[in-house]
Amino acid sequence: MEAMNSRLDDLPEVVRQLASRLQERMFEQVDAAEGMQVWALLDTNHPVAQFDPLHPSRLAVRKVRSTMTTVRRKDFAHDPAICPLLLQLRSAESRGYVDDALIQQTVATALERCASINGAYVCGWLVSSMTADQLARHLARATVVLDPIKRQRRVFPWFEPYRLALAIEMETPACIDGWLRGIAAWFFVDSAGVLREVVPGGGVEPQELSAQILGPQHARSQARVPLARKVVLALSKAGHAIPVDAEKKVDAALQLAESAGMHDVEDRVLYALNCLTVSPGWHLHPAAQYCIEAVVQGAASLREGLARLSEPMLSDIAAYSHRSSIAISME
């Protein structure tokens, strides 16, 4: 406990503010109905180091104990140690949270890993009147979906923040409500470090879990997530701010790259980066079109083609794409 508190003393103000907002929003949900409980969902498939305060082995020996319940993913039945964990932050009987310091630590870890290519360890926080075992069984069932592209059932970890942010944009309300059945609210931190809240829509009958089907467009976007994470990491490494709604914007840029005929990972990442940092219309410049055509024909990579252009030409591409994007937006 002392180690966790000493680490929390050094947390930046942004963590404290986000933790405060999270607790306020969760309190509103808890206060709205009887028997509400609060959990954090930890994804041990994207683990923290063994010395981290949120590692299961460290949580198990804390002075203030919190119940941990395994969500038995069907694809990880062979190794429960990598299944998600529900970490209880507030019970139905308690008048407050188990430990405010623990909540702040989960927020700090969520922010630290929000743009990580390795995925999030703290996937989110949820409020529900279900017991831990009931909630764990529901989450395990809810991850089994029908993939319309492969035409088969598979485990889909929609609870991962990046994937959930895409789902909010692209899935039907019935699908989201099906995942959230019995859950009053779900909170998570997206790639830009923004606290997001998802609640059942109401008025829409949720699909039965046995018939949960991903929309075709959403399934294709989800297939691009590993590549999209590379784009987000590249943005971060280059010192660019992660844009608001990054998940949606990155996927749109990768779709443009695919439409242009980009197949190599490096070409698609660079194409998307240019859409996000130069301008959405950078590819409309004749010189950019020449470079893209060379990639399609296998004559050069996109990086090689752009590297051969002069500085004045690159500046002209940036200016041209800016003018083009303005013209497009005016149409």
Side-chain angles (χ1 to χ4, degrees), residues 233-240 273 277:
L233 180 64
L235 280 171
S236 181
K237 282 188 172 182
H240 294 286
L273 280 174
T277 61

Side-chain angles (χ1 to χ4, degrees), residues 20-146:
S20 178
R21 290 201 304 274
L22 173 63
Q23 287 178 276
E24 288 175 4
R25 294 296 302 124
M26 289 194 300
F27 179 78
E28 290 178 13
Q29 293 291 340
V30 168
D31 198 44
E34 293 288 334
M36 289 295 182
Q37 304 184 73
V38 177
W39 290 269
L41 185 66
L42 309 180
D43 190 357
T44 57
N45 187 44
H46 302 295
V48 289
Q50 285 194 332
F51 57 78
D52 191 283
L54 291 183
H55 190 276
S57 63
R58 296 288 299 276
L59 290 169
V61 297
R62 291 179 67 246
K63 184 176 180 180
V64 181
R65 300 287 181 86
S66 294
T67 302
M68 289 183 287
T69 306
T70 300
V71 178
R72 297 189 178 277
R73 285 178 55 163
K74 290 191 175 181
D75 54 339
F76 292 163
H78 64 287
D79 189 359
I82 60 174
C83 287
L85 286 175
L86 283 167
L87 174 66
Q88 190 173 44
L89 299 177
R90 180 183 179 126
S91 68
E93 298 78 22
S94 63
R95 295 188 177 184
Y97 295 101
V98 174
D99 187 348
D100 286 347
L102 185 57
I103 295 177
Q104 288 196 330
Q105 188 60 65
T106 61
V107 170
T109 300
L111 281 170
E112 182 181 352
R113 296 272 290 269
C114 66
S116 172
I117 195 172
N118 296 317
Y121 178 66
V122 177
C123 287
W125 304 265
L126 51 154
V127 180
S128 174
S129 61
M130 287 191 283
T131 66
D133 288 339
Q134 289 171 337
L135 187 54
R137 286 195 296 270
H138 166 74
L139 291 175
R141 290 195 303 267
T143 58
V144 179
V145 301
L146 179 63

Side-chain angles (χ1 to χ4, degrees), residues 308-323:
R308 292 168 185 164
L309 300 179
S310 65
E311 287 296 330
M313 183 60 72
L314 292 173
S315 297
D316 191 55
I317 289 177
Y320 179 90
S321 60
H322 177 67
R323 291 195 302 270

Side-chain angles (χ1 to χ4, degrees), residues 179-197:
W179 289 336
L180 296 180
R181 181 177 294 181
I183 298 172
W186 186 291
F187 304 87
F188 69 98
V189 175
D190 67 12
S191 298
V194 176
L195 180 65
R196 307 276 292 274
E197 178 178 354

